[in-house]
Every structure is written in structure tokens, then in C-alpha cells.
Amino acid sequence: MTEDVRTAPGASEERLDAVYDTALLDLDGVVYAGGEAVAHAVDSLATAREGGMHLAYVTNNALRPPSAVAAHLSELGVPADASDVITSAQAVARLIADEQPEGARVLLIGGEGLRQALVERGLVPVDSADDEPAAVAQGYGGPDFPWSRFAEAGYAVRAGVPWYASNTDLTIPSGRGIAPGNGAAVEVVRIASGGEPKVAGKPLPPMHRETILRTGAKRPLVVGDRLDTDIEGAHAGGVDSLLVLTGVTDVAALLRAVPEHRPTYVGRDLRELLVGHEAPRVEGDGAWACDGARARVADGGLVLEGKGAGAEDGALLDGLRVLCAAAWSAGGERAFDGEIAGAVKALGELGGAWGEGGACVRRRGREGAS
């Protein structure tokens, strides 16, 4: 087993907002979902900001420009400026500008956020494959994006025009559940054209580069809800991460995570920024313990023991940490493939505070576009 394989959540004696200078926060599923603020997000971020932590909002959603995202955050009670927001539209625009001449025409397949990002880099958005574009830029266009735009992308890519995608997230959280994301739209163009895009968004290096260039973070903490973008991106960038269970990832997926998807810290929501984190410890019988919670692998399956199966939030977190440690250490360099249903059920018996599969689904705020 390689030395960098994480086998248990990490520890921090100090609060995370005191240890890290910048929180690189995902938006959809972390700060808000469907336009509504996630429970505890507003108060937790205010406390972290007052303590001196720089808050930056890093999203793979390329639909809206940073100014619109900042305005939305401010309406929810999270004060933000456009300079605090980094989008995959900005990352892909920089990638295109690095590879195409200034003033190049770019076929725009996306929303206003992508259009503004291209213009910022000295590129000229066009709307038709007949406009002789030097590149195709595709980003999330929203739930009502016209099907004809995918056809334009397909025509251009099939003709040999270089194709760039802001991100390939297959899904996106919404106020009504999980909806198709830009990755699903990219697949439509891929099928029609036979092409392969260059991708800029999380978890790939162009997005990490864009984030560091714009924030100047020296000791960042990535905070997200997705294993395959937020956490994998942090792993690729060599920085620590916090997974919150308020979006796409549930407990079952977390327990079966491969090494590059295992976060440094785990928790319910953004309140985890404001506390220290106790690391599970392995005991003589091979079980993992954290305060009063214990977890082990027995007969090929995970077993949760002690107060970690109880209803208090502290006990819940202890239980979550020891289950991760037991599963990750048993899985090693691969995903744990044993039985987990009983352990997840024991952890989730909290009277409705956690949703099916172990994802926290409590929200508050207003309805609106995500």
C-alpha cells in the first residue's frame, strides 16, 4: 500500500477556520441548493469570516457570472463580491486563451457566465458553427437550454474544431432533487460528434490553478459535497479537504470511496469549519474508536457499536468517523466492497434529521435559481 493512501479521517486540535487561511467552498449542495441556503450555512460562514478566514466560492456551475453568484449569496445573508467567486467558466476561458490567439472566435454553448468569461480573456463568442469558430466552449446552460445548441456544437466538433468543456459533472443539486448537469450535456455532444473535450473544471488542474491565482490562498481547505470533483480535486492539488453531507454524496458513497475520493475531514454541514476534529484510533482488536463509538469489519461487513449509533450530533460524527476508518483501512487502495447496509442504518436512525442513504437534506432560505 502506498504511503499517501488515506485510511481514516484526519485530526485537528484547533478549529478548522483557525488552521486554514482560506476556505474554497463549493456552492451547489454546500452553501445552497435550488436557490435555498443549506441549513447552518449562513451562520457558520459568518462566524468563520469574523474569525479571519477568507471565504472563496468555487463552483463547477458555469451558468451565471461571478457578479450574479455574489449577489445571490448576499441575498441569502452571505456577503460576497464578484472577486470572491471562481467558476469553471473562468477556468475554461483561461485554458482556451492559453491555446488560441487573442480575438479568436469561440462557439458558445452555455450561459451568460461562460460568455462573460470568454470576453474577459479577449475571445469573441459566436453562436453558429457557420461562423468559423476556432474553438467550441461548452458549459451548463440551465434546465431550459435549447437542444439546437447541442447540434451546433456537434457540427463544429465533427468538423474538427477543438472542443473545451467547463466541467463534466453528470448531475447538479436542485431544490427538487438531483438534476442532469453539464456532463450529461457533454455526453450528448460526444455522441453526436465522436469528439473528446478538454475539460477545465474540478477535479482537473486548470480549475485548481484558476482558484489559487484568483485567491492567493497559502493554506487552503477545499469544502465540498462531491467526491469525484471537490475531494478528488483537492487530492490532485495536494491540499486538505472537508466533505459535508448536504448535497450529492451520502454515507454509503463515502464509505466506499477510493483513495483519491477520501476527504481529510468529514461532517454534516458547514458547522464543521468551526470545530476541531478528533481522529479515530485503531484498537488492539482491530476496531476503530472515536470517543464512545467503535466500528469494525466482521464477517465481511461493517459493524457500528457504542454511542455512535445514537441520536446526538456528536455521537453521529464519532460514528461516521469510525465507520470511514474501518471501511477505508479495509479497502486499502481499492473501495471497500463489504456489506455496509446495517452500519448505515444504525448511523442514520436520527428521527429524520438525515435523509435516505445518510445525506443531510435540511434546507432553509428562499426559492430561486441555483
Side-chain angles (χ1 to χ4, degrees):
M1 185 181 299
T2 58
E3 292 183 359
D4 62 347
V5 172
R6 177 170 293 282
T7 57
S12 175
E13 292 185 2
E14 294 185 79
R15 295 163 42 138
L16 298 187
D17 61 339
V19 174
Y20 300 92
D21 68 338
T22 305
L24 305 178
L25 295 134
D26 184 48
L27 285 171
D28 292 308
V30 176
V31 180
Y32 56 63
E36 300 180 27
V38 170
H40 308 291
V42 174
D43 292 342
S44 297
L45 293 176
T47 301
R49 187 189 311 107
E50 290 165 2
M53 189 178 216
H54 177 210
L55 306 180
Y57 303 94
V58 186
T59 178
N60 262 0
N61 191 332
L63 178 60
R64 296 184 296 167
S67 59
V69 175
H72 179 198
L73 287 168
S74 297
E75 290 175 8
L76 292 177
V78 181
D81 296 324
S83 60
D84 297 322
V85 179
I86 302 94
T87 73
S88 63
Q90 294 170 322
V92 77
R94 188 185 296 270
L95 179 60
I96 296 171
D98 286 346
E99 299 183 356
Q100 303 297 333
E102 185 175 359
R105 295 183 178 186
V106 179
L107 178 58
L108 172 66
I109 310 297
E112 183 60 23
L114 183 53
R115 181 183 296 278
Q116 289 191 18
L118 293 171
V119 171
E120 180 187 13
R121 290 289 155 209
L123 302 166
V124 180
V126 297
D127 295 326
S128 172
D130 296 333
D131 291 329
E132 299 182 351
V136 176
Q138 183 174 3
Y140 183 62
D144 300 320
F145 197 64
W147 189 260
S148 61
R149 303 303 298 147
F150 302 140
E152 291 296 326
Y155 300 147
V157 175
R158 183 169 285 278
V161 177
W163 178 26
Y164 301 81
S166 63
N167 67 297
T168 52
D169 297 31
L170 290 173
T171 61
I172 186 170
S174 77
R176 297 176 60 193
I178 303 301
N182 191 56
V186 166
E187 288 303 310
V188 171
V189 177
R190 192 198 310 270
I191 292 168
S193 67
E196 187 71 29
K198 290 186 176 181
V199 183
K202 296 180 285 187
L204 298 173
M207 188 66 171
H208 184 71
R209 175 192 177 203
E210 190 74 20
T211 300
I212 298 303
L213 285 174
R214 289 182 180 267
T215 65
K218 301 300 182 184
R219 184 160 172 73
L221 177 70
V222 170
V223 184
D225 70 309
R226 299 185 71 109
L227 301 177
D228 59 350
T229 55
D230 304 313
I231 305 308
E232 185 176 336
H235 183 271
V239 299
D240 289 346
S241 60
L242 165 66
L243 180 88
V244 292
L245 293 169
T246 50
V248 169
T249 300
D250 61 15
V251 170
L254 179 59
L255 296 180
R256 296 200 186 279
V258 293
E260 60 269 27
H261 291 172
R262 295 170 187 169
T264 313
Y265 310 104
V266 297
R268 308 150 295 179
D269 49 54
L270 288 177
R271 286 177 292 178
E272 309 311 332
L273 284 174
L274 310 178
V275 297
H277 287 247
E278 182 178 352
R281 63 189 182 279
V282 65
E283 299 191 331
D285 60 355
W288 288 83
C290 186
D291 200 358
R294 297 177 83 253
R296 57 190 173 86
V297 176
D299 299 324
L302 279 180
V303 178
L304 178 64
E305 303 169 335
K307 76 174 186 178
E312 296 180 0
D313 276 354
L316 168 67
L317 290 173
D318 293 337
L320 178 63
R321 290 165 182 154
V322 295
L323 284 175
C324 286
W328 297 352
S329 59
E333 296 183 350
R334 293 180 290 273
F336 178 69
D337 60 2
E339 176 62 42
I340 65 172
V344 171
K345 181 179 179 181
L347 187 70
E349 291 175 348
L350 300 176
W354 283 41
E356 183 179 355
C360 185
V361 295
R362 291 170 291 175
R363 306 279 198 272
R364 73 174 178 84
R366 65 168 182 83
E367 295 293 339
S370 64

